[in-house]
Short mmCIF file of all heavy atoms in Angstrom, two decimals:
data_model
loop_
_atom_site.label_atom_id
_atom_site.label_comp_id
_atom_site.label_asym_id
_atom_site.label_seq_id
_atom_site.Cartn_x
_atom_site.Cartn_y
_atom_site.Cartn_z
N GLN A 1 147.52 140.04 48.22
CA GLN A 1 148.31 138.84 47.99
C GLN A 1 149.78 139.16 47.80
O GLN A 1 150.66 138.38 48.17
CB GLN A 1 147.76 138.08 46.78
CG GLN A 1 148.68 137.05 46.17
CD GLN A 1 149.01 135.90 47.11
OE1 GLN A 1 148.39 135.76 48.15
NE2 GLN A 1 149.99 135.10 46.75
N THR A 2 150.09 140.35 47.23
CA THR A 2 151.48 140.72 47.00
C THR A 2 152.16 141.21 48.27
O THR A 2 153.34 141.53 48.25
CB THR A 2 151.56 141.84 45.93
OG1 THR A 2 150.72 142.93 46.34
CG2 THR A 2 151.12 141.33 44.59
N GLY A 3 151.42 141.28 49.36
CA GLY A 3 151.98 141.80 50.61
C GLY A 3 152.75 140.76 51.39
O GLY A 3 153.02 139.65 50.92
N THR A 4 153.09 141.12 52.62
CA THR A 4 153.90 140.24 53.45
C THR A 4 153.05 139.13 54.06
O THR A 4 151.83 139.22 54.12
CB THR A 4 154.55 141.04 54.59
OG1 THR A 4 153.51 141.59 55.42
CG2 THR A 4 155.41 142.16 54.06
N GLN A 5 153.74 138.10 54.53
CA GLN A 5 153.07 136.98 55.17
C GLN A 5 152.30 137.46 56.40
O GLN A 5 151.19 136.99 56.68
CB GLN A 5 154.11 135.92 55.56
CG GLN A 5 153.53 134.64 56.13
CD GLN A 5 152.93 133.75 55.06
OE1 GLN A 5 153.16 133.97 53.87
NE2 GLN A 5 152.16 132.77 55.47
N ALA A 6 152.90 138.39 57.15
CA ALA A 6 152.24 138.89 58.36
C ALA A 6 150.91 139.55 58.03
O ALA A 6 149.90 139.37 58.74
CB ALA A 6 153.15 139.89 59.08
N ALA A 7 150.86 140.32 56.95
CA ALA A 7 149.62 140.99 56.55
C ALA A 7 148.58 139.96 56.14
O ALA A 7 147.40 140.06 56.51
CB ALA A 7 149.90 141.95 55.40
N ARG A 8 148.97 138.95 55.38
CA ARG A 8 148.02 137.93 54.92
C ARG A 8 147.47 137.10 56.08
O ARG A 8 146.31 136.68 56.07
CB ARG A 8 148.67 137.02 53.88
CG ARG A 8 149.00 137.75 52.59
CD ARG A 8 149.44 136.82 51.50
NE ARG A 8 150.70 136.14 51.83
CZ ARG A 8 151.29 135.26 51.03
NH1 ARG A 8 150.75 134.93 49.89
NH2 ARG A 8 152.43 134.70 51.39
N GLU A 9 148.31 136.86 57.09
CA GLU A 9 147.85 136.10 58.24
C GLU A 9 146.90 136.93 59.11
O GLU A 9 145.99 136.39 59.74
CB GLU A 9 149.05 135.65 59.09
CG GLU A 9 149.95 134.62 58.41
CD GLU A 9 149.30 133.25 58.31
OE1 GLU A 9 148.24 133.04 58.92
OE2 GLU A 9 149.86 132.39 57.61
N ALA A 10 147.10 138.24 59.15
CA ALA A 10 146.29 139.10 60.02
C ALA A 10 144.91 139.36 59.45
O ALA A 10 143.94 139.52 60.21
CB ALA A 10 147.02 140.43 60.26
N GLY A 11 144.77 139.43 58.14
CA GLY A 11 143.48 139.75 57.53
C GLY A 11 142.54 138.56 57.55
O GLY A 11 142.95 137.41 57.74
N ASN A 12 141.23 138.85 57.39
CA ASN A 12 140.27 137.75 57.26
C ASN A 12 139.81 137.57 55.82
O ASN A 12 138.90 136.80 55.54
CB ASN A 12 139.08 137.92 58.20
CG ASN A 12 138.44 139.29 58.11
OD1 ASN A 12 138.55 139.96 57.09
ND2 ASN A 12 137.78 139.71 59.17
N MET A 13 140.42 138.32 54.90
CA MET A 13 140.26 138.11 53.47
C MET A 13 141.59 138.35 52.79
O MET A 13 142.41 139.15 53.28
CB MET A 13 139.22 139.07 52.87
CG MET A 13 137.80 138.83 53.28
SD MET A 13 136.67 139.89 52.32
CE MET A 13 135.11 139.48 53.11
N VAL A 14 141.82 137.68 51.68
CA VAL A 14 143.02 137.91 50.87
C VAL A 14 142.58 138.17 49.44
O VAL A 14 141.85 137.38 48.85
CB VAL A 14 143.98 136.70 50.92
CG1 VAL A 14 145.18 136.95 50.01
CG2 VAL A 14 144.44 136.43 52.34
N ASP A 15 143.02 139.32 48.91
CA ASP A 15 142.71 139.67 47.52
C ASP A 15 143.85 139.18 46.64
O ASP A 15 144.96 139.70 46.71
CB ASP A 15 142.53 141.19 47.39
CG ASP A 15 142.31 141.62 45.95
OD1 ASP A 15 141.99 140.75 45.12
OD2 ASP A 15 142.46 142.83 45.67
N LEU A 16 143.57 138.18 45.82
CA LEU A 16 144.61 137.57 44.99
C LEU A 16 145.07 138.49 43.87
O LEU A 16 146.12 138.27 43.28
CB LEU A 16 144.11 136.24 44.42
CG LEU A 16 143.68 135.19 45.45
CD1 LEU A 16 143.23 133.93 44.74
CD2 LEU A 16 144.78 134.90 46.43
N ASP A 17 144.27 139.51 43.54
CA ASP A 17 144.65 140.46 42.49
C ASP A 17 145.34 141.70 43.04
O ASP A 17 145.78 142.55 42.28
CB ASP A 17 143.42 140.90 41.69
CG ASP A 17 142.81 139.76 40.91
OD1 ASP A 17 143.57 138.88 40.48
OD2 ASP A 17 141.58 139.75 40.74
N SER A 18 145.38 141.83 44.38
CA SER A 18 146.00 142.99 45.04
C SER A 18 145.44 144.30 44.51
O SER A 18 146.17 145.24 44.20
CB SER A 18 147.53 142.95 44.86
OG SER A 18 148.06 141.78 45.46
N ASP A 19 144.13 144.37 44.43
CA ASP A 19 143.43 145.56 43.94
C ASP A 19 142.58 146.12 45.08
O ASP A 19 141.57 145.53 45.45
CB ASP A 19 142.54 145.19 42.75
CG ASP A 19 141.71 146.36 42.25
OD1 ASP A 19 141.91 147.49 42.74
OD2 ASP A 19 140.84 146.15 41.38
N PRO A 20 142.98 147.26 45.68
CA PRO A 20 142.26 147.77 46.84
C PRO A 20 140.81 148.12 46.55
O PRO A 20 139.95 148.03 47.43
CB PRO A 20 143.05 149.01 47.25
CG PRO A 20 143.76 149.43 46.01
CD PRO A 20 144.09 148.16 45.29
N THR A 21 140.53 148.53 45.32
CA THR A 21 139.15 148.90 45.00
C THR A 21 138.28 147.66 44.82
O THR A 21 137.08 147.80 44.59
CB THR A 21 139.10 149.76 43.71
OG1 THR A 21 139.61 148.99 42.62
CG2 THR A 21 139.93 151.01 43.88
N LYS A 22 138.85 146.46 44.95
CA LYS A 22 138.06 145.24 44.92
C LYS A 22 137.03 145.25 46.04
O LYS A 22 136.06 144.48 46.01
CB LYS A 22 139.00 144.04 45.06
CG LYS A 22 138.35 142.68 44.93
CD LYS A 22 138.06 142.33 43.50
CE LYS A 22 139.31 142.10 42.70
NZ LYS A 22 140.09 140.93 43.10
N LEU A 23 137.23 146.13 47.05
CA LEU A 23 136.27 146.19 48.15
C LEU A 23 134.87 146.54 47.64
O LEU A 23 133.88 146.22 48.29
CB LEU A 23 136.70 147.21 49.21
CG LEU A 23 135.94 147.06 50.52
CD1 LEU A 23 136.51 145.93 51.35
CD2 LEU A 23 135.88 148.33 51.30
N ILE A 24 134.78 147.19 46.49
CA ILE A 24 133.46 147.47 45.92
C ILE A 24 132.73 146.16 45.66
O ILE A 24 131.56 146.00 46.01
CB ILE A 24 133.61 148.28 44.61
CG1 ILE A 24 134.15 149.69 44.93
CG2 ILE A 24 132.27 148.38 43.88
CD1 ILE A 24 134.46 150.51 43.71
N GLU A 25 133.43 145.20 45.03
CA GLU A 25 132.82 143.90 44.80
C GLU A 25 132.57 143.16 46.11
O GLU A 25 131.55 142.50 46.29
CB GLU A 25 133.71 143.04 43.89
CG GLU A 25 133.62 143.39 42.42
CD GLU A 25 134.41 144.65 42.06
OE1 GLU A 25 135.32 145.02 42.82
OE2 GLU A 25 134.11 145.25 41.01
N ILE A 26 133.53 143.27 47.04
CA ILE A 26 133.38 142.58 48.32
C ILE A 26 132.15 143.09 49.07
O ILE A 26 131.35 142.31 49.59
CB ILE A 26 134.66 142.75 49.17
CG1 ILE A 26 135.84 142.05 48.51
CG2 ILE A 26 134.44 142.22 50.59
CD1 ILE A 26 137.17 142.31 49.19
N VAL A 27 132.00 144.42 49.12
CA VAL A 27 130.84 145.01 49.80
C VAL A 27 129.55 144.61 49.08
O VAL A 27 128.55 144.27 49.72
CB VAL A 27 130.97 146.54 49.86
CG1 VAL A 27 129.66 147.19 50.30
CG2 VAL A 27 132.09 146.93 50.82
N GLY A 28 129.59 144.64 47.75
CA GLY A 28 128.40 144.26 46.99
C GLY A 28 127.98 142.82 47.27
O GLY A 28 126.80 142.53 47.45
N ILE A 29 128.97 141.92 47.37
CA ILE A 29 128.65 140.52 47.66
C ILE A 29 128.14 140.37 49.08
O ILE A 29 127.21 139.60 49.35
CB ILE A 29 129.90 139.64 47.41
CG1 ILE A 29 130.17 139.56 45.90
CG2 ILE A 29 129.71 138.24 47.99
CD1 ILE A 29 131.50 138.95 45.55
N GLY A 30 128.74 141.12 50.03
CA GLY A 30 128.25 141.09 51.40
C GLY A 30 126.81 141.57 51.51
O GLY A 30 125.98 140.98 52.21
N LYS A 31 126.52 142.65 50.79
CA LYS A 31 125.14 143.16 50.79
C LYS A 31 124.20 142.17 50.10
O LYS A 31 123.05 141.98 50.51
CB LYS A 31 125.09 144.52 50.11
CG LYS A 31 125.74 145.64 50.92
CD LYS A 31 125.57 146.99 50.25
CE LYS A 31 126.25 148.10 51.04
NZ LYS A 31 125.66 148.29 52.38
N GLN A 32 124.70 141.53 49.03
CA GLN A 32 123.91 140.49 48.37
C GLN A 32 123.54 139.38 49.33
O GLN A 32 122.40 138.91 49.37
CB GLN A 32 124.69 139.90 47.20
CG GLN A 32 124.42 140.53 45.85
CD GLN A 32 124.95 139.66 44.74
OE1 GLN A 32 126.00 139.02 44.85
NE2 GLN A 32 124.25 139.62 43.63
N LEU A 33 124.54 138.95 50.13
CA LEU A 33 124.30 137.87 51.07
C LEU A 33 123.22 138.25 52.08
O LEU A 33 122.28 137.50 52.32
CB LEU A 33 125.60 137.51 51.79
CG LEU A 33 125.59 136.26 52.68
CD1 LEU A 33 126.98 135.63 52.71
CD2 LEU A 33 125.19 136.60 54.11
N LEU A 34 123.37 139.46 52.65
CA LEU A 34 122.39 139.91 53.65
C LEU A 34 121.01 140.08 53.03
O LEU A 34 119.99 139.69 53.61
CB LEU A 34 122.85 141.23 54.27
CG LEU A 34 124.13 141.16 55.11
CD1 LEU A 34 124.58 142.55 55.51
CD2 LEU A 34 123.93 140.29 56.34
N MET A 35 120.97 140.68 51.83
CA MET A 35 119.69 140.91 51.17
C MET A 35 119.04 139.60 50.74
O MET A 35 117.82 139.44 50.84
CB MET A 35 119.88 141.82 49.96
CG MET A 35 120.18 143.27 50.32
SD MET A 35 120.61 144.24 48.85
CE MET A 35 119.20 143.95 47.83
N THR A 36 119.87 138.65 50.27
CA THR A 36 119.32 137.36 49.85
C THR A 36 118.69 136.64 51.03
O THR A 36 117.58 136.11 50.93
CB THR A 36 120.43 136.49 49.22
OG1 THR A 36 121.00 137.19 48.12
CG2 THR A 36 119.87 135.16 48.74
N ARG A 37 119.40 136.63 52.14
CA ARG A 37 118.87 135.97 53.33
C ARG A 37 117.58 136.65 53.79
O ARG A 37 116.59 135.99 54.11
CB ARG A 37 119.91 135.99 54.45
CG ARG A 37 119.53 135.15 55.65
CD ARG A 37 120.54 135.31 56.75
NE ARG A 37 121.84 134.87 56.29
CZ ARG A 37 122.99 135.39 56.72
NH1 ARG A 37 122.97 136.38 57.58
NH2 ARG A 37 124.13 134.93 56.30
N GLY A 38 117.60 137.99 53.83
CA GLY A 38 116.40 138.72 54.25
C GLY A 38 115.24 138.54 53.30
O GLY A 38 114.09 138.34 53.71
N ALA A 39 115.54 138.59 51.98
CA ALA A 39 114.47 138.47 50.98
C ALA A 39 113.83 137.08 51.03
O ALA A 39 112.60 136.95 51.00
CB ALA A 39 115.04 138.74 49.59
N LEU A 40 114.66 136.03 51.11
CA LEU A 40 114.10 134.68 51.12
C LEU A 40 113.42 134.35 52.45
O LEU A 40 112.49 133.54 52.48
CB LEU A 40 115.18 133.66 50.80
CG LEU A 40 115.76 133.75 49.37
CD1 LEU A 40 116.70 132.60 49.09
CD2 LEU A 40 114.65 133.79 48.33
N THR A 41 113.89 134.97 53.54
CA THR A 41 113.18 134.80 54.81
C THR A 41 111.80 135.45 54.72
O THR A 41 110.80 134.88 55.17
CB THR A 41 113.99 135.42 55.97
OG1 THR A 41 115.26 134.78 56.05
CG2 THR A 41 113.26 135.25 57.30
N THR A 42 111.75 136.65 54.15
CA THR A 42 110.46 137.33 53.95
C THR A 42 109.54 136.49 53.07
O THR A 42 108.35 136.32 53.37
CB THR A 42 110.69 138.71 53.29
OG1 THR A 42 111.55 139.48 54.12
CG2 THR A 42 109.38 139.45 53.09
N PHE A 43 110.09 135.97 51.98
CA PHE A 43 109.30 135.13 51.08
C PHE A 43 108.79 133.89 51.81
O PHE A 43 107.63 133.50 51.67
CB PHE A 43 110.14 134.71 49.87
CG PHE A 43 109.39 133.91 48.85
CD1 PHE A 43 108.78 134.53 47.78
CD2 PHE A 43 109.29 132.53 48.96
CE1 PHE A 43 108.08 133.80 46.83
CE2 PHE A 43 108.59 131.79 48.03
CZ PHE A 43 107.99 132.43 46.96
N SER A 44 109.66 133.26 52.61
CA SER A 44 109.29 132.04 53.31
C SER A 44 108.14 132.26 54.28
O SER A 44 107.18 131.48 54.32
CB SER A 44 110.51 131.48 54.05
OG SER A 44 110.17 130.32 54.77
N ILE A 45 108.23 133.34 55.06
CA ILE A 45 107.18 133.62 56.05
C ILE A 45 105.87 133.95 55.35
O ILE A 45 104.80 133.45 55.72
CB ILE A 45 107.63 134.75 56.99
CG1 ILE A 45 108.82 134.27 57.84
CG2 ILE A 45 106.48 135.20 57.88
CD1 ILE A 45 109.46 135.35 58.67
N ALA A 46 105.95 134.81 54.32
CA ALA A 46 104.73 135.15 53.57
C ALA A 46 104.16 133.92 52.88
O ALA A 46 102.94 133.72 52.82
CB ALA A 46 105.06 136.24 52.54
N ASN A 47 105.04 133.07 52.38
CA ASN A 47 104.66 131.84 51.72
C ASN A 47 103.89 130.92 52.67
O ASN A 47 102.87 130.32 52.32
CB ASN A 47 105.93 131.17 51.21
CG ASN A 47 105.69 129.93 50.41
OD1 ASN A 47 105.09 130.00 49.35
ND2 ASN A 47 106.14 128.81 50.91
#
């Protein structure tokens, strides 16, 4: 977020805290999304 307008327009995410290690949380949430979808799909079919 503290970067230039060009950088913010080019990215597909903006970190409002400007913390590069925030990617740990971003990756964790992405994995959560994939795992949640896979887990509930598995549950649904078995169900």
Side-chain angles (χ1 to χ4, degrees):
Q1 163 63 11
T2 55
T4 62
Q5 185 76 14
R8 294 189 295 180
E9 293 288 350
N12 50 24
M13 291 188 184
V14 177
D15 176 16
L16 302 181
D17 294 328
S18 299
D19 176 7
T21 62
K22 185 77 69 66
L23 194 80
I24 293 174
E25 281 78 21
I26 294 173
V27 169
I29 289 169
K31 289 184 181 296
Q32 266 195 324
L33 188 150
L34 294 173
M35 289 173 55
T36 302
R37 189 185 299 149
L40 294 187
T41 301
T42 302
F43 184 93
S44 178
I45 294 172
N47 184 64

